[in-house]
Amino acid sequence: MPCLFEPLEARLAVLDALPPALWLGGMTHAGGRLEPRLLALQTWRGLLAQGLNPLDRLAPGPLSDADWPAPVLREALKTCFDHLQLARYCEAHADLADLVLQSLLFHLDLIVDYRDRGAGEAAAARIAIEAFHADWAERCGEIDELAAAFGELGDLFKNTRWDTLRGLLRSREWQDLVRIRRLVERLPELARLIRSLGRAQPVEPAPTDSQHRQSVMMPALALQADAHTQRVPDMPGETRGVHRSDRLARMLPAEAMLLGHPRLRFVWHARRAERTLLCYEDDDRLRERHHHPLPVPRPQPRPAPAPRLAMGPMLVCVDTSGSMQGGAEAVAKAVVLEAVRTAHAQHRPCRVFAFGGEGEVVEMLLALDPSGVAQLARFLGQGFHGGTDICGPIEHALARLQEEDWRLADLLIASDGEFGATPAVAARLQQVRREQGLRVQGVLIGDRETIGLLELSDAIFWVREWRRFGPAAEAGRYGEGGEGGEGGGSPVHSSRLTADYFPGALRTPDNLARTQPPETAAAAVRAGRHRDAAS
Amino acid sequence: MASEAVVPAHDWPARLSPILVALEAGLVERRLPLRLALLAALSGEHTLLIGPPGTAKSVLARRVHLAFRDARYFERLLTRFTVPEELFGPLSIRALEEDRYERHTAGFLPDATVAFIDEVFKANSAILNALLTLLNEREFDNGAGRQHCPLVSVIGATNAVPEDEVAEAFFDRFLVRLSVGPVSAGGFERLMLDAASVPFGEAGVAMPAALSAAERAALSQAALQVALPDEVLSHLGALRTWQAERGNYVSDRRWVKLGHLLRTAAACEGRDSVSAWDLALAPYCVAADASEQGEIAAWLAARLGVRAVWSPPRLTRIVEAFEAQLSAERAANDLDYDEAGRLRFSAIGQAQEQAEALAGAIGDAKGGAGALRMSYSRQRRYGPLHIGARTRQIDELLERIARYQRELAAQRAALADWRAGSLWAPPRFAEQAQTVLEGVAAALGALQVRASEARAGFESLPRLAEGAGSAPEPVAHEPFVD
């Protein structure tokens, strides 16, 4: 930071603390002066994020001399903030405070325009605050709705595309999403399963289970080279310079001259005694290199007793084949929705592969932002048609697993199990499972376990009562429109059909009335009366 | 003597300038080393010249000596075999006969005012301690007593700085360290023509009266009166912190000496306080070699805001904000309301985006996105209050820019004063500072123009019709006449 202009620039230092979203509105706003306004914005942000209504503190607090917002607006704004409980929303959702302030700046900026169009001062202020109130009354509703569906809001408000969200919330797809959300609530085991997905088992997996390699600092002995010079007296070598000593052999000729003088020779003797004769200094230093072992930590790759990441990313394969239509489809969608919700609640990335027939793999990275939610809603709103080709999505998922970010992902396959993987793909899956410790969780939405799903999954969660979740489950008997129509699943497996063939097997009140309790029945058999009762 | 010291108003610049000019005569591209070496001498400090052989190091030292009247000069090349007699004089035999162990120092280093010691790092252990003491304390242990030395400044020279304990011991004794290299390609021609005509080591022109000892004393008295302003102190403190962060230890003694050098520089230029621009001398005192000096000079330039042309970032942001707001208001569409009849929150360009998204979704096989669509738009109109509010904000902004410009003008004036009066200013630094400040002034001017244009833009926004929005006046009509 240059010192030139520093005092002047420092007066605007608050700009750096404000998010860029507030710059435009904060700097060009019609009311007040720049610096107090920016300071006020920063204070408001802080208070809103703490869940406090900034206007509660306005009178005595740090803002008392702020000229934004204008004092005439404060009372009405305070009521408005209190009424909407905006501070509470901002506390719960961190990004919201900026949005509220941005919107407030926008609406209050319009006061001059209302006045230009003929409104009085008070009326213009009222209009602006009412507009702000109405805007946020609606948004708060939307926030509630989104929060109800997703549990948390993630990045939904990061880029303030309210129109997209608003359109989404009014779409048919959103209604589907809400319906499926309710469905999830009826499947608590499924939600629990997905939440626990990827978590470490209470015991550490055996080393063979995971070949996750990592560098471990191991003590090792390294030879440390240590160079130093050693004096070796009388070592032949070069002359290094002049120094003071008492070595006569290396004495300077000038010193020898002293000896010839009657008086100076005493000086010579004195110097010799004090070892201060000027002598040539031999370069009798030997440069040595020592090697001595020194324990050093050294990184060594070794299979670590893999602490499986408690929450890795999630890969979800969803069967969107035609055979899933009806209740199974609803359950599969619930799996996707719950996976996305869980992933975001636990801050895990989540990728969904929808697989139908051969080559029909749709891959979605579902982030909790407007586009991700729109994509999710679109997916949840569409019907399932097509064949069942498990190999495509598994290959896609395996390809993802090779990427660094997704190495520790877990795979979830939701299907009715009516498929089979080619031996090659199954073998590759086995290999990844062995080498990377991949876990595959199957969600079986059907009536019987199939080899196809069994050989791919480590564990299978079986949703047996999938029929109850079909859109037409309430419609009762299958096929008002005939077989394969809107009925709740395949006709062969409908309960009604069972009734047709085994009328006594259903627990209708009528049947129950006719059924004897076991003791009675046993007694009757012993008495030999069963023939009579049956007849 | 006393009367001379009392004489208050020495016009030091007028006194020193001719001396400097005369000293520089015939030397090519040696202005900065010569002046800094002289400044160090005036401040009572030693100078180390680092450079390859044949770069006029010894000439510089002899010239510095010429600046002082009655100054004894001593010059010696050190080797590994240099014995004490060569530097400090021979043993006095007569004194010995009187049982005193003394040296004849007359004409040797303890007797010199200005000394040049070549290959100073070659000093061996036989002379090292005495030499270090002499440099640091200006005293020489001679026999039983300590002899005070008239030494003003030692100019050391070396080809390269070795890394051993001798180097460390010497290095801190030299406050100013200068790298001298061969002349540049541009200066070569002058070197060939001029330098040859100058007698070896001696100035070719007649030397003006050199500085007397009394004048030197008066100058150092004057230097003591020079103030170190807070601004300079804060820069120095920041420099110290920065050096410490980079792991370069600079001794406290060196900082003190640097302060005195800066004061002396200011005193020589007839100022009563050190200027921030004087800090351009600091790199030569706190850094060891040329590359590090370059880094410090760059850091200093950045701190003083003269490293590169820049425009104050936060101020620029405000101007940009108004420009963005202006273009938004120009593009605003009056009919862009949502279904509840409120203006859309992020209205601009949205319809366009939606149209393109739609075209993309359908599959733009027929180039539908490019086709003209019927659109409903009406440019929004603005009333006087709206425009007044905007122009009021811009007027504040213009006032703010003017404040920046006033500060810059003050800085530029200070820099121009400093450059005009400075005897010691490193020319490249001064020139760069001036160029950059001119650039900053231009940038501020551009900001001002942009703000003014934005103001004009707001004023030329489409206006609401007079009285729009208010209830129309009741139509006056003639009462029916029955």
Side-chain angles (χ1 to χ4, degrees), chain B residues 323-340:
Chain B
E323 287 177 341
Q325 182 71 20
L326 175 63
S327 72
E329 290 188 3
R330 273 191 181 139
N333 179 357
D334 235 1
L335 297 180
D336 192 20
Y337 293 92
D338 63 9
E339 55 269 52

Side-chain angles (χ1 to χ4, degrees), chain A residues 3 11 16 35 109, chain B residues 101 303 314 390 400 403:
Chain A
C3 290
R11 299 169 68 174
D16 294 343
E35 283 143 14
D109 196 36
Chain B
Y101 187 89
R303 186 166 167 91
R314 293 174 185 147
R390 293 282 186 262
R400 190 182 292 273
R403 257 180 274 157

Side-chain angles (χ1 to χ4, degrees), chain B residues 239-304:
Chain B
L239 179 57
R240 183 167 187 252
T241 314
W242 185 67
Q243 280 283 72
E245 279 166 7
R246 297 182 342 136
N248 292 341
Y249 171 73
V250 179
S251 66
D252 292 349
R253 172 171 65 187
R254 190 165 277 277
W255 288 112
V256 172
K257 287 180 168 183
L258 171 61
H260 187 65
L261 184 94
L262 293 177
R263 284 184 164 127
T264 310
C268 291
E269 292 162 12
R271 285 181 279 128
D272 58 0
S273 76
V274 176
S275 149
W277 300 109
D278 284 330
L279 290 172
L281 301 172
Y284 302 104
C285 301
V286 293
D289 53 21
S291 71
E292 205 185 324
Q293 285 170 1
E295 284 169 32
I296 292 184
W299 178 88
L300 207 59
R303 186 166 167 91
L304 295 173

Side-chain angles (χ1 to χ4, degrees), chain B residues 171-183:
Chain B
F171 220 61
D172 209 38
R173 269 34 178 209
F174 294 99
L175 178 65
V176 179
R177 299 127 170 201
L178 295 165
S179 288
V180 285
V183 297

Side-chain angles (χ1 to χ4, degrees), chain A residues 3 5 9 11 16 24 28-30 32-33 35 109 113 116-117 170 240-242 252 264 267 271, chain B residues 80 83 96 101 303 312-314 317 321 339 381 383-386 390 392-393 396 400 403-404 407:
Chain A
C3 290
F5 305 135
E9 286 275 289
R11 299 169 68 174
D16 294 343
L24 182 64
T28 63
H29 191 79
R33 282 173 304 117
E35 283 143 14
D109 196 36
D113 293 276
D116 273 332
R117 285 173 170 76
R170 301 213 168 117
R240 192 182 156 82
V242 175
L252 254 56
L264 287 182
V267 177
R271 282 186 180 173
Chain B
R80 294 185 295 173
V83 291
L96 259 183
Y101 187 89
R303 186 166 167 91
R314 293 174 185 147
R317 239 179 249 165
E339 55 269 52
R381 299 179 169 274
L385 283 175
H386 176 98
R390 293 282 186 262
R392 183 176 64 80
Q393 300 283 345
E396 277 180 24
R400 190 182 292 273
R403 257 180 274 157
Y404 278 73
E407 182 180 335

Side-chain angles (χ1 to χ4, degrees), chain B residues 44-48 78 87-88 109-110 113-117 120-121 123 127-141 146 149 151-157 166-175 253 257:
Chain B
E45 296 301 337
H46 310 303
T47 305
L48 179 66
L78 293 193
L87 278 176
F88 308 119
L109 185 57
T113 317
V114 176
F116 176 64
I117 301 179
V120 68
F121 290 114
I127 58 173
L128 190 62
N129 286 336
L131 190 55
L132 290 178
T133 314
L134 186 61
L135 283 181
N136 199 33
E137 283 140 49
R138 292 182 165 76
E139 283 183 337
F140 178 65
D141 288 313
R146 258 200 151 183
C149 306
L151 189 67
V152 170
S153 178
V154 167
I155 294 167
V166 179
E168 274 172 36
F170 268 111
F171 220 61
D172 209 38
R173 269 34 178 209
F174 294 99
L175 178 65
R253 172 171 65 187
K257 287 180 168 183

Side-chain angles (χ1 to χ4, degrees), chain B residues 177-195:
Chain B
R177 299 127 170 201
L178 295 165
S179 288
V180 285
V183 297
S184 65
F188 181 70
E189 204 167 302
R190 262 196 63 210
L191 177 76
M192 296 305 284
L193 296 177
D194 293 8

